[in-house]
Structures are given as structure tokens and as C-alpha cells.
């Protein structure tokens, strides 16, 4: 059989084979279809089915020699007198080699029992409700029964959990279509009771039996206890758990097949309520005096049952681990007879083919091979793929890659000759097995015994688990597949400097701006866009490649460009409610020297063009990648001028307050977690886990912290003060020289002082609150100049986001350094990363490179989200008032702003003021040669999930909350 590998059985969908055996009349067509399917059935058995000496010839003749002869597969055909009887397997004569189902729409009864006639009431005998058409029913039920019954020897029967549930839930409408549909709770209780009554009902069956036990004598008190609490413990609670389990499985899990089919979205209702609603709609169709509506309802119920069966096939898929999964080495096969039009079962066969077509892309479909034979003309549709003969069909019989052609059956005409006379010999299935002759249960027992023996051997020679675990270093967890960037200076040629990259991004932004202006000036109001200006305030890109990496202007502009491109495209698609953005990039000098002056220009322009209502109308500012006195003054100027501003990576709490009055700003919103929250998290990290290395390569808790700061620097002074306060006793601040107040240490002096303190107290961590350029000088000085680089113990440094860009590109590879640093995004491919972050990673790599030093440092994501905050407020203003300018945007910012951002979940509650988003995501990485390891991540990373509230091994430590 094609596609016997595990991947093929999960992914490669084969087309339905429809073998056209049309003869001179309905009787001859049915006989030829039966002989064809008999031959296919013989390939699925070793030794053949129970043999019978019967005739075999075209159109019911006795063959060329007038006697009986064997078909193409070495087995005899059925006797005329036994036609229509389902053959039971003789265990001695035939062994099933693959699970299969033989479906006869015109027959009823259980597998292996004689047909009950055209009006049977078995799984396939129930007529179409309301139509009066006999001999038709739900073939998915019969398929599930036979696939379970026809399990190969040593195999495990199909569990049919989903199908069994849907069978119980639809029993009423199938058997009594005119009765009212029960409520969701009644359906649940009915299905639960049926499951509890069965011997294999597990815990449900045990609870039902226990509730019926009568206690007497000394145990009479137990009976009273059961009577008192039994209804809650034995009735309500198990049913609630059962409902929750099925609701999650069918509506909210990764494989929520029912929700994927009905497309209901997230809902608070249980799956039983949803099924009750579906059955109610089908009952209404059945209640009409309309035969076609009844047939449509029957087809929908058939599809429901088939999808449940496919879900069971998916759950029972092949796998590498587990004896049962390893034994699933072939597809399941369905052999379907197609009665002629008007014959009993024709409607059921047609409905089943339609259900197969509708479920072609459903999970579990790849593990199924369907072959139908009979009068194809009664079922054929215009788009079926028609083959010339069997050989042509064999060439086309392959997994379908085109989604549109996925559901198209292969129609193959069958002449009167058998397969061997056509030149195609169907070989018998020989799937083999991992352990021939051994059952899955025996293999499990053997594996348990071998595993126990190995554990006993290991226990004798290895130390007990946890013996030394208390001294292991907490490094974090490596994110498999994350890119490790190359240093930019190695690529910084004359044609590829940071400045050329900066200019390239600015040029692309200018092109988007020109497109927006042209759209604004279109005469046709239906194709005209509303355009507003957003000003970006960034620092000059240094000429030195090392400083250019730490500057952050290039990645911020790239984040703005990617956001502007997507937001403007969305605005084109919804011109009435979305604002197209014009991003005005402005250089504020080295280290934001001219930021205050530029902010005053923005205030004047915002006032001047407020009423122009075009691309000159300023709605806000993004920028401020660093917390400096210059950027703080600029934010205050914009606040006084009533221009909204969104900070990107500036983290100082002081940025949120006016430097003159100390009052909180009302027009400023930071995107990053502030220094107060970051210092609490960093101090908790240093105190709570073993991060300080000892002489033996293990780690201990930090008892002392040396906090290096830059006097006169807004960010550094504040961060060092807050971290020292949070760390508490044992914290010592080491100011660097050059802060304008005299005194202080040079980087070499810091290195020597750190070395001395570590000799006094080895359990010391260095917290670097100064700028990154001084950290590089400190690292260069610590080894050769301080005399500590050769010590057996490593130096542990915990740094702020200031070190991120340089650390991520692997610059600090000294063997004596254990470096941790904070960052405002998770590395790519982390399991807690959200879809927006993953999409931005892909777009960034597609537009630039996976080796880019800024890929994971947060500048791109925070700038992207900052522009989206302004865009969201502007869109809200436009949709509610018909225009957008600074006052309206500010009013919308004061309302709740919430969306899934690339840097985590963004939520500014109503009247949140100048504080960062609630529970803003923050991460601490451990820098290693193979790439960053996530040592801590706290906060809201996904919009519809609770914030990450614990960190450490097994979630041992709580995340500090917002202050």
C-alpha cells in the first residue's frame, strides 16, 4: 500500500478510488462490484477468507471452461445463493493484515451477521429520517464497528472514543427523528450514563457501581455519608469533569476537530450544548414536509459521525514510541459498494461519498484508504478525475498536494476481465511488524522489566538524584533553533556600515510616506485614505561600528518600517476606519543632544497643522530609546505641548515625571518595563537562585552585590539606586569616574576593586547599571590587569537591557565570565512566544538577515508595538469622530488600549497614566557560546493567557508583580 511510513500515514491524503463496474443491469453491476471488492478484501488477509467453490465469470457466467475458477488473487468468488451475506473470518483460514471495513449500504446488522433486509435497523439499516427511503443509514457507524472488529492479530482495536460519544449523542435523532431534541445537559447525562453502564467505562463505571452499594452493620455510617455527599461527589462532580474534558478536547485543544468543523470561535458553552444546537437544526429540517431537506440533514449527521471516526483514526496514529503505536504500519481501508440508482442503500452511499469529500482535509484522513465499486454513474460529479483504465489509475493514485484537488475521487472504468487480465496485479499487503508474534501487552511488560533492571543497575553505580542538585548552577534553558548573530563590525565594509543601513531604512520609509500622500490626494473619495503624521525622535548613528550596535537607531527604524508597512496595508483595506501613517524620521544628535529642541518644533507643527487634517497633522511621537536627561526634558516638552509620545526602550521611572515639578506626565507612555520593576526582578533573581560560581564549578546564592553606576547618567543612577535598595544588606555602589562630580573609579579601578571584594566574599555578584561602553573596558581590564582573571571561580555579572545588543552577538566569550542580562522580548522560537512575535521575526529575517545583531534584543519589537499603540488610538478616533489629531488621540489613549504585541501582551487600562503596560514582559538571559539561555521570563507574553507568574526550576519562585 502506498505511504506506509509514519509521515505518510499522518500527512499524505490519497484520493478515493471509484471503480466503475457498470454492467448490463443492476444485478450484473452489483455482482461485478462484489467480485471486485472481494479481490481487494483478499489482499488484506493472509490465507484468504473462508473459501467457497463458486462460479466466476463475466456477467454471472461459469467462466471460460464452464466450471469454477480462481480470480486474480487466488481466491474463489461468492456463491450466488450467499450473495449479500457478510463473510465472517475463519481464524484458521484467514488472518487480517490491515484494519478494514466492508460497507454494504443495502444491508444491516452487525459485522458477521446476515443481512436483515432492506429495512433493517442496524448501524446501516436505519432509513433516512422522514424520507421513507428504506435500506439506507449511517455508514460511518458501520465503518467504525468493522475497523474495530477487523483488527489484525497482535494489534490493538480502534478505541472509537469520539465516534462512540457522537453515536450516543445522535441516537435519539437517528432512531426517533420526530421526537424533540433534548437539551445539552440531558444529552450529556444520557451519554454519561451509557458510558458508565459499560464494563470498560473505567472510573465512570466504578463510580456508578459504588453509588449503588448498600452499606449495613458497622459500615452503616458510610452509607449515611454517601447519602449526604453522594450526589455532589458521585453525580455532579464526575459529570462536570467529564463535560470539561470533552469540551476542551473537542472545542479548545490543539486537535479540536468539532470547533474546526463548525467554526464557532471561543465560547463559554460546553460541547454538549453545541451538539444539541446542531441536532436541533437538523431536527427542524427533518420535521419539514420536504424530502430533500431530510436527505440534507441525513448527510450532515453522516459527516458528523465520519469526522468523529477520523478523529479516532488520528488519535490512533502511528508512532515511534509505544508498542501499540509501532504496530500501526498500514492505512485503514474502507471497501464501499455502490448500489445502482433507486436500489436500497444508494442514498446512504451517496451521502457517505459526499461526507468523504467534505472531510478530505480533516485530521486523520491521511490514514484512510477508500475504494468504492459499483454503478459510478449514479454518484459521479463533473469535477471527478476520470482515468482511462486501471493502469492510468495506478499512475494517478498518489498523495494529493493541491488543496483544491484533495477531495476529487479517481473514477476508473472496470471491464469484465479481472485485474490480471488488465495487466495490473494487486499484491497482498505484507506490513510486517516490529516484533512478530508478540502482543503489545507482552512487549510493554518486557519493556517495564528491562527498564526496571536498568534503573537498578544505575542506582547501584550513580549517586541518588538530588544529592548534588542543590549546588547546581541555574543557567536557564536553551531555545533550540534560535539564531546566533555575527558581530556587525566584521561586516562593516564601506558599503555596509550602520549609517548606510540607517539611510536605507529611511529611504524605504520615505517611499511608504509618498504612497500615503498620493492616496490622500486621490479625487475618488472611495479610494482616498486618511493620513496622519507620526514623528520619530532618534539619536545619531555613530560611525564606530561597536557603538552603532548599542545605539539602537537602526533596529528601531526597522521595527517602525515593518509596522508602518503592515498598518498602512490594513488601512487600505478599511479606509473608513483606519488611518494611514506618515512616519517623519528626525535625527536629534549624538546621545539625543538636540532632543528637547526637536520636541519644541514638533509641538509647534502639531498646533500649526492641527486643523489641516492631512499628512501634516501630527498625532504623536515615538522614540526615546535611552533614558537621558535630554530625552526626559523632551518628553516633558511634548507633554506640556499636549502631544502624545510613546517611549520605546527608555526604562527610567524618571521619564514618567516632569523634571521641574516632579508631577506625572499625562501624554507620555513607555513601552518597556520601568527600572523599578526590572530592579525588583533582578534582585529576586540574584537572591533566589544559585548563580555565583564557586571553586568547584558549582554555584551558590549571592550574599553581596557590587553595583557599578555612572554618576550624572539618568538611567544608571536610578537603576543602581533601585537595585541596591531591592538587594538590601550587602549591596555596595561603585561609581565610575567622569560623571562631572570628581572622584569615582576608572574601569581598571573597578576591576581591581571587584577582585578585592571577591577575595573577601566569594559569593559576590556584580550588577552593571552603567553604560555598555564602560562594561567592555571593564571586561578587558579584569583579566590581565586585576589579577582575578586566573582565579578558579568565575565572575558572575548581572546586567540591564543596556548590555543586550552587545551580549547577544557573543562578544563576551571570556572563560571566567558568567553573564546574565535583561531583555524585553523572548528569543525566537521560545514556546511562550506569541504569534505576533513569530511573525515579526520572520518578516525581519526575510527583509534583513538571521545573523543580524539586533534580531532578539527588543528594539525592533518595542518600536513596532509603539507605533501600533498610536495607530490603534488614531483608528479609534477616526472611527468614532471621523477625524484624528493630538487631543482625540490622547483621549483614546486614556481609554483602554489592548492588543497582542510583538514584545508581549500590551494593555494600557483606562486612565493608566504614564506607567508601562500592565505586567509588561521581561526576560533575563544567560549568555553562552551556543546562544542565549532563558534563565527567567515573567509577565504577559500572550494576550489571551494569564501572565507568567513563576520562574526557576519547576516554577519554584514567584515573579515580582508590578509595583
Amino acid at each position: 500500500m502506498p505511504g506506509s511510513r509514519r509521515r505518510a500515514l499522518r500527512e499524505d491524503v490519497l484520493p478515493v478510488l471509484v471503480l466503475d463496474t457498470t454492467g448490463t443491469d443492476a444485478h450484473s453491476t452489483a455482482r461485478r462490484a462484489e467480485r471486485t471488492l472481494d479481490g481487494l478484501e483478499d489482499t488484506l488477509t493472509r490465507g484468504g477468507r473462508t473459501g467457497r467453490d463458486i462460479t466466476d465469470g463475466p456477467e454471472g457466467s461459469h467462466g471460460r471452461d464452464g466450471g469454477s475458477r480462481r480470480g486474480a488473487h487466488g481466491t474463489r468468488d461468492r456463491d450466488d445463493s450467499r450473495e449479500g451475506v457478510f463473510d465472517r473470518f475463519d481464524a484458521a483460514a484467514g488472518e487480517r493484515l490491515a484494519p478494514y471495513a466492508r460497507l454494504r449500504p443495502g444491508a444491516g446488522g452487525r459485522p458477521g451477521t446476515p443481512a436483515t433486509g432492506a429495512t433493517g435497523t442496524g448501524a446501516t439499516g436505519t432509513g433516512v429520517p422522514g424520507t421513507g427511503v428504506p435500506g439506507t443509514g449511517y455508514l460511518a457507524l458501520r465503518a467504525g464497528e468493522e475497523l474495530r472488529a477487523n483488527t489484525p492479530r497482535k494489534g490493538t482495536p480502534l478505541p472509537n472514543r469520539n465516534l462512540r460519544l457522537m453515536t450516543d449523542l445522535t441516537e435519539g435523532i437517528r432512531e426517533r427523528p420526530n421526537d424533540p431534541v433534548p437539551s445539552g445537559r440531558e444529552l450529556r447525562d444520557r451519554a454519561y450514563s451509557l458510558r458508565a453502564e459499560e464494563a470498560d467505562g473505567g472510573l465512570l463505571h466504578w463510580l456508578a457501581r459504588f453509588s449503588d452499594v448498600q452499606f449495613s452493620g458497622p459500615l452503616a455510617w458510610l452509607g449515611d455519608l454517601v447519602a449526604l455527599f453522594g450526589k455532589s461527589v458521585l453525580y455532579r462532580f464526575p459529570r462536570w469533569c467529564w463535560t470539561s474534558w470533552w469540551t476542551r478536547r473537542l472545542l479548545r485543544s490543539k486537535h479540536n476537530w468539532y470547533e474546526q468543523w463548525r467554526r464557532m470561535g471561543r465560547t463559554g458553552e460546553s460541547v454538549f450544548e453545541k451538539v444539541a444546537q446542531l441536532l436541533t437544526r437538523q431536527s427542524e429540517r427533518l420535521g419539514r414536509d420536504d424530502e430533500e431537506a431530510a436527505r440534507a440533514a441525513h448527510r450532515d449527521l453522516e459527516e458528523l459521525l465520519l469526522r468523529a471516526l477520523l478523529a479516532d483514526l488520528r488519535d490512533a496514529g502511528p508512532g515511534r514510541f509505544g508498542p501499540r503505536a509501532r504496530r500501526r504500519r498500514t492505512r485503514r481501508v474502507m471497501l464501499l459498494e455502490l448500489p445502482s440508482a433507486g436500489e436500497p442503500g444508494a442514498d446512504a452511499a451517496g451521502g457517505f461519498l459526499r461526507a468523504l469529500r467534505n472531510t478530505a482535509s480533516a485530521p486523520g484522513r491521511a490514514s484512510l484508504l477508500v475504494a468504492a465499486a459499483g454503478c459510478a454513474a449514479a454518484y459521479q460529479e463533473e469535477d471527478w478525475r476520470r482515468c482511462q483504465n486501471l493502469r492510468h489509475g495506478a499512475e494517478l493514485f498518489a498523495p494529493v498536494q493541491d488543496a483544491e484537488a484533495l477531495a476529487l475521487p479517481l473514477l476508473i472504468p472496470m471491464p469484465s476481465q479481472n485485474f490480471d487480465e488488465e495487466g495490473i496485479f494487486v499484491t497482498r499487503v505484507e506490513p510486517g511488524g516490529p516484533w512478530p508474534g508478540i502482543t503489545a501487552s507482552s512487549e510493554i511488560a518486557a519493556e517495564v522489566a528491562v527498564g526496571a533492571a536498568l534503573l537498578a543497575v544505575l542506582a547501584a553505580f550513580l549517586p541518588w538524584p538530588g544529592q548534588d542538585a542543590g549546588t547546581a548552577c541555574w543557567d536557564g534553558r536553551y531555545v533550540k533553533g534560535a539564531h546566533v548573530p555575527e558581530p556587525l563590525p566584521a561586516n562593516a565594509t564601506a558599503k555596509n556600515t550602520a549609517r548606510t543601513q540607517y539611510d536605507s531604512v529611511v529611504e524605504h520609509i520615505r517611499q511608504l510616506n509618498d504612497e500615503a500622500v498620493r492616496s490622500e490626494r486621490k479625487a475618488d473619495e472611495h479610494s482616498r485614505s486618511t493620513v496622519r503624521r507620526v514623528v520619530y525622535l532618534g539619536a545619531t548613528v555613530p560611525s564606530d561600528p561597536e557603538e552603532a550596535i548599542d545605539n539602537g537607531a537602526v533596529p528601531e527604524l526597522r521595527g517602525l518600517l515593518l509596522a508602518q508597512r503592515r498598518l498602512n496595508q490594513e488601512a487600505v483595506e478599511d479606509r473608513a476606519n483606519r488611518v494611514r501613517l506618515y512616519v517623519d524620521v528626525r535625527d536629534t544628535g549624538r546621545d539625543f543632544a538636540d532632543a528637547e529642541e526637536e520636541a519644541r518644533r514638533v509641538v509647534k507643527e502639531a498646533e500649526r497643522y492641527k486643523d489641516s487634517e492631512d499628512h501634516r497633522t501630527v498625532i504623536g511621537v515615538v522614540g526615546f530609546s535611552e533614558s537621558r536627561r535630554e530625552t526626559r526634558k523632551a518628553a516633558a516638552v511634548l507633554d506640556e505641548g499636549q502631544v502624545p509620545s510613546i517611549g520605546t526602550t527608555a526604562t527610567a521611572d524618571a521619564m514618567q515625571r516632569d523634571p521641574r515639578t516632579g508631577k506625572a506626565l499625562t501624554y507620555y507612555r513607555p513601552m518597556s518595563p520601568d527600572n523599578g520593576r526590572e530592579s525588583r526582578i533582578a534582585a529576586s533573581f540574584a537572591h533566589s537562585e544559585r548563580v555565583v560560581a564557586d571553586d568547584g564549578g558549582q554555584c551558590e546564592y549571592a550574599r553581596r552585590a557590587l553595583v557599578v553606576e555612572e554618576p550624572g547618567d539618568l538611567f544608571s543612577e536610578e537603576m543602581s539606586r533601585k537595585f541596591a535598595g531591592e538587594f538590601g544588606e550587602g549591596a555596595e555602589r561603585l561609581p565610575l569616574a567622569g560623571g562631572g562630580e570628581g572622584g569615582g573609579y576608572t574601569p581598571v579601578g573597578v576591576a581591581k576593586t571587584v577582585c578585592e571584594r571577591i577575595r573577601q566574599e566569594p559569593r559576590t555578584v556584580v550588577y552593571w547599571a552603567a553604560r555598555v561602553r564602560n562594561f567592555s573596558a571593564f571586561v578587558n581590564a579584569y583579566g590581565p590587569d586585576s589579577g582575578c582573571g586566573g582565579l578558579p571561580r568565575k565572575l558572575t555579572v548581572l546586567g540591564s537591557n543596556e548590555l543586550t545588543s552587545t551580549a547577544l552577538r557573543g562578544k563576551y566569550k571570556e572563560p571566567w565570565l558568567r553573564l546574565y542580562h535583561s531583555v524585553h522580548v523572548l528569543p525566537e522560537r521560545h514556546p511562550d512566544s506569541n504569534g505576533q512575535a513569530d511573525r515579526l521575526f520572520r518578516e525581519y529575517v526575510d527583509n534583513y538577515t538571521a545573523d543580524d545583531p539586533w534580531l532578539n534584543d527588543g528594539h525592533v519589537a518595542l518600536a513596532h508595538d509603539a507605533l501600533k499603540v498610536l495607530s490603534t488610538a488614531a483608528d479609534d478616533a477616526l472611527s468614532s469622530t471621523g477625524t484624528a489629531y493630538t487631543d482625540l488621540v490622547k483621549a483614546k489613549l486614556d481609554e483602554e488600549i489592548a492588543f497582542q504585541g510583538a514584545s508581549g501582551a500590551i494593555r494600557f487600562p483606562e486612565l493608566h497614566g504614564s506607567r508601562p503596560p500592565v505586567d509588561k514582559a521581561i526576560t533575563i538571559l544567560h549568555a553562552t557560546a551556543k546562544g542565549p539561555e532563558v534563565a527567567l521570563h515573567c509577565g504577559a507574553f500572550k494576550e489571551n493567557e494569564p501572565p507568567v507568574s513563576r520562574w526557576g526550576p519547576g516554577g519554584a519562585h514567584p515573579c515580582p508583580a508590578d509595583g
Side-chain angles (χ1 to χ4, degrees):
M1 296 175 65
S4 60
R5 297 182 181 274
R6 282 183 292 270
R7 183 197 59 79
L9 292 177
R10 292 186 179 277
E11 301 176 9
D12 293 346
V13 178
L14 292 174
V16 176
L17 288 176
V18 179
L19 307 176
D20 188 4
T21 62
T22 304
T24 57
D25 55 28
H27 179 72
S28 64
T29 299
R31 281 186 53 79
R32 292 174 60 188
E34 187 175 13
R35 286 198 301 274
T36 300
L37 295 180
D38 283 348
L40 293 175
E41 189 175 351
D42 284 341
T43 68
L44 303 173
T45 62
R46 180 181 289 118
R49 295 162 292 122
T50 303
R52 300 188 183 95
D53 292 330
I54 59 175
T55 61
D56 178 49
E59 310 300 337
S61 69
H62 290 272
R64 296 176 182 172
D65 56 358
S68 64
R69 68 176 177 86
R70 293 186 178 270
H73 312 284
T75 59
R76 299 183 182 275
D77 286 335
R78 302 170 187 261
D79 193 311
D80 291 348
S81 63
R82 298 299 301 273
E83 188 173 70
V85 178
F86 182 82
D87 286 6
R88 295 183 65 90
F89 276 105
D90 185 338
E95 176 188 344
R96 305 166 187 83
L97 299 176
Y100 76 92
R102 181 73 179 269
L103 305 179
R104 293 179 172 85
R110 298 274 177 181
T113 62
T116 58
T119 59
T121 59
T124 61
T126 305
V128 177
T131 66
V133 180
T136 57
Y138 299 93
L139 293 178
L141 296 180
R142 183 65 178 272
E145 291 177 355
E146 295 207 19
L147 287 175
R148 180 176 174 83
N150 293 337
T151 301
R153 189 170 61 92
K154 310 296 184 184
T156 304
L158 187 68
N160 280 358
R161 293 187 184 92
N162 292 275
L163 181 59
R164 183 173 2 183
L165 176 68
M166 291 303 157
T167 301
D168 294 341
L169 296 181
T170 60
E171 180 182 7
I173 194 172
R174 287 186 289 106
E175 297 185 358
R176 300 174 299 280
N178 296 323
D179 290 356
V181 176
S183 65
R185 180 184 292 271
E186 292 170 336
L187 283 177
R188 188 274 313 272
D189 291 342
R190 167 67 175 165
Y192 183 96
S193 299
L194 291 174
R195 187 75 180 97
E197 290 172 2
E198 298 173 356
D200 61 346
L203 180 61
L204 276 62
H205 180 69
W206 183 87
L207 289 174
R209 294 287 301 273
F210 182 78
S211 62
D212 295 334
V213 174
Q214 299 295 326
F215 297 95
S216 59
L219 297 179
W221 64 271
L222 188 57
D224 297 336
L225 192 65
V226 171
L228 182 62
F229 299 103
K231 192 169 185 62
S232 297
V233 176
L234 302 177
Y235 186 88
R236 293 194 184 96
F237 183 68
R239 282 164 172 76
W240 178 85
C241 293
W242 198 65
T243 302
S244 301
W245 189 84
W246 274 113
T247 298
R248 183 187 180 281
R249 185 179 179 88
L250 269 60
L251 299 185
R252 298 169 191 152
S253 68
K254 180 181 179 181
H255 300 297
N256 53 345
W257 65 266
Y258 191 85
E259 196 282 330
Q260 292 177 20
W261 175 40
R262 306 305 299 177
R263 297 296 181 187
M264 300 167 295
R266 294 190 66 86
T267 175
E269 296 177 297
S270 72
V271 68
F272 300 100
E273 293 168 330
K274 290 298 182 182
V275 173
Q277 295 168 11
L278 172 64
L279 297 182
T280 300
R281 288 192 292 271
Q282 304 309 326
S283 178
E284 293 172 354
R285 298 165 76 182
L286 294 172
R288 302 176 194 167
D289 190 14
D290 185 348
E291 186 171 309
E292 186 58 35
R295 294 179 190 275
H298 177 271
R299 288 194 295 269
D300 287 348
L301 292 174
E302 182 78 82
E303 183 175 346
L304 168 65
L305 297 170
L306 180 59
R307 287 183 180 273
L309 175 58
L310 292 177
D312 290 324
L313 296 181
R314 177 207 62 212
D315 293 342
R320 294 180 182 273
F321 305 103
R324 294 182 176 86
R326 286 197 296 270
R327 280 166 168 74
R328 299 173 190 135
R329 303 169 68 85
T330 65
R331 284 186 166 87
R332 287 85 170 192
V333 182
M334 289 186 185
L335 304 177
L336 173 65
E337 293 184 10
L338 300 178
S340 301
E343 292 291 320
D347 287 326
F352 191 68
L353 284 176
R354 171 57 56 181
L356 285 170
R357 178 163 186 168
N358 293 342
T359 58
S361 60
R365 184 69 170 79
S367 68
L368 190 63
L369 170 61
V370 182
C375 182
Y379 308 92
Q380 182 179 358
E381 299 182 19
E382 294 181 358
D383 55 356
W384 283 18
R385 293 182 292 171
R386 187 173 182 84
C387 304
Q388 300 173 1
N389 50 37
L390 277 172
R391 186 176 299 281
H392 187 208
E395 294 172 355
L396 296 181
F397 187 56
V400 181
Q401 303 300 330
D402 184 3
E404 295 182 357
L406 193 65
L408 301 182
L410 286 179
L411 178 59
I412 305 175
M414 293 290 293
S416 58
Q417 295 87 356
N418 285 318
F419 287 170
D420 54 345
E421 299 178 17
E422 184 68 17
I424 300 294
F425 185 82
V426 180
T427 57
R428 193 177 307 281
V429 176
E430 293 292 345
W435 294 96
I438 300 179
T439 63
S441 300
S442 300
E443 189 176 342
I444 291 175
E447 289 177 350
V448 171
V450 172
L454 289 176
L455 287 177
V457 172
L458 292 175
F461 292 97
L462 296 179
W464 288 99
Q467 190 172 7
D468 295 319
T471 59
C473 299
W474 177 242
D475 295 333
R477 294 181 175 87
Y478 176 65
V479 181
K480 186 177 181 180
H483 294 93
V484 180
E486 295 295 331
L488 182 64
N491 303 324
T493 64
K495 296 183 179 180
N496 187 32
T497 64
R499 187 68 208 188
T500 58
Q501 295 180 47
Y502 178 93
D503 293 339
S504 174
V505 182
V506 172
E507 174 59 23
H508 282 93
I509 291 176
R510 186 192 63 78
Q511 294 174 7
L512 292 179
N513 291 342
D514 291 343
E515 293 175 7
V517 173
R518 286 195 297 271
S519 175
E520 177 187 60
R521 293 173 177 173
K522 289 183 178 180
D524 182 10
E525 63 178 9
H526 297 292
S527 59
R528 188 188 310 147
S529 296
T530 300
V531 182
R532 294 294 184 267
R533 180 176 299 240
V534 174
V535 178
Y536 168 72
L537 299 182
T540 298
V541 178
S543 57
D544 180 77
E546 291 279 356
E547 294 185 16
I549 292 179
D550 306 326
N551 171 264
V554 173
E556 278 199 347
L557 280 178
R558 287 175 174 177
L560 289 177
L561 171 63
L562 295 176
Q564 182 189 15
R565 183 181 296 161
R566 177 169 290 274
L567 293 171
N568 281 5
Q569 180 59 43
E570 293 173 353
V572 170
E573 298 169 358
D574 187 9
R575 300 177 191 275
N577 300 299
R578 304 294 292 270
V579 174
R580 207 162 175 174
L581 300 179
Y582 182 110
V583 177
D584 184 357
V585 180
R586 303 192 184 182
D587 189 335
T588 63
R590 185 176 179 86
D591 295 337
F592 294 92
D594 303 325
E596 183 179 4
E597 180 182 352
E598 199 61 54
R600 297 190 186 281
R601 291 196 188 96
V602 172
V603 170
K604 291 180 181 178
E605 293 173 12
E607 183 62 29
R608 179 180 179 184
Y609 296 111
K610 177 179 179 179
D611 298 327
S612 63
E613 297 191 356
D614 58 16
H615 69 278
R616 296 171 297 176
T617 303
V618 176
I619 60 170
V621 171
V622 295
F624 305 141
S625 60
E626 295 181 5
S627 300
R628 296 183 178 273
R629 284 177 166 76
E630 294 80 6
T631 54
R632 185 186 186 190
K633 292 177 181 178
V637 168
L638 294 171
D639 188 81
E640 185 178 5
Q642 298 182 348
V643 176
S645 59
I646 312 296
T648 53
T649 54
T651 61
D653 295 31
M655 289 289 297
Q656 306 168 26
R657 296 187 173 276
D658 190 300
R660 297 167 300 174
T661 65
K663 294 182 179 179
L665 303 180
T666 57
Y667 282 75
Y668 175 74
R669 302 287 187 276
M671 292 301 299
S672 305
D674 56 30
N675 286 352
R677 182 159 184 257
E678 183 169 338
S679 61
R680 288 194 299 276
I681 289 176
S684 173
F685 178 80
H687 275 308
S688 303
E689 269 304 329
R690 297 180 181 271
V691 295
V692 179
D694 60 18
D695 296 341
Q698 299 298 311
C699 281
E700 302 174 84
Y701 299 106
R703 296 290 184 88
R704 188 173 187 174
L706 302 177
V707 187
V708 183
E709 63 177 332
E710 286 187 35
D713 185 284
L714 178 67
F715 161 80
S716 181
E717 281 188 334
E718 181 183 280
M719 180 60 88
S720 64
R721 183 181 71 253
K722 288 181 176 293
F723 178 84
E726 294 292 340
F727 190 89
E729 185 179 357
E732 178 185 359
R733 296 167 66 179
L734 302 178
L736 285 166
E741 299 178 0
Y745 298 88
T746 64
V748 174
V750 171
K752 292 182 178 181
T753 303
V754 168
C755 181
E756 293 173 1
R757 299 292 192 272
I758 288 180
R759 291 181 188 277
Q760 298 169 4
E761 173 53 81
R763 293 167 293 185
T764 298
V765 63
V766 173
Y767 185 80
W768 196 268
R771 297 292 176 178
V772 65
R773 60 179 178 270
N774 288 313
F775 182 70
S776 298
F778 164 79
V779 170
N780 294 334
Y782 187 79
D785 294 339
S786 70
C788 280
L791 290 178
R793 68 171 57 241
K794 291 185 176 182
L795 173 66
T796 298
V797 176
L798 176 58
S800 67
N801 184 58
E802 177 71 14
L803 304 183
T804 296
S805 298
T806 306
L808 281 176
R809 61 188 172 92
K811 178 181 178 180
Y812 306 116
K813 299 179 180 180
E814 284 69 17
W816 47 264
L817 178 62
R818 287 178 57 84
L819 176 60
Y820 299 88
H821 61 93
S822 65
V823 65
H824 300 142
V825 293
L826 283 170
E828 58 172 330
R829 304 189 183 186
H830 191 279
D832 282 337
S833 183
N834 62 64
Q836 290 295 323
D838 295 340
R839 190 206 70 202
L840 185 61
F841 275 124
R842 290 193 300 269
E843 290 181 355
Y844 191 86
V845 171
D846 291 344
N847 283 272
Y848 303 105
T849 171
D851 297 329
D852 189 275
W854 300 296
L855 181 64
N856 288 294
D857 79 343
H859 281 100
V860 178
L862 289 167
H864 174 280
D865 292 348
L867 188 62
K868 190 171 181 180
V869 169
L870 275 182
S871 174
T872 302
D875 292 342
D876 291 346
L878 179 67
S879 61
S880 59
T881 66
T883 187
Y885 50 87
T886 52
D887 292 344
L888 291 175
V889 170
K890 166 61 167 58
K892 295 302 179 181
L893 288 174
D894 285 340
E895 299 175 4
E896 184 178 28
I897 298 286
F899 61 85
Q900 181 66 77
S903 63
I906 307 300
R907 186 170 75 88
F908 291 101
E910 186 175 0
L911 300 177
H912 191 58
S914 59
R915 289 170 291 169
V918 176
D919 290 321
K920 190 63 174 68
I922 187 170
T923 303
I924 292 181
L925 301 180
H926 175 220
T928 71
K930 66 179 180 180
E933 295 176 333
V934 178
L936 172 151
H937 67 292
C938 291
F941 292 91
K942 298 181 180 180
E943 184 179 15
N944 296 320
E945 295 185 10
V948 176
S949 59
R950 303 194 71 83
W951 67 276
H957 312 296
C959 291
D962 281 341

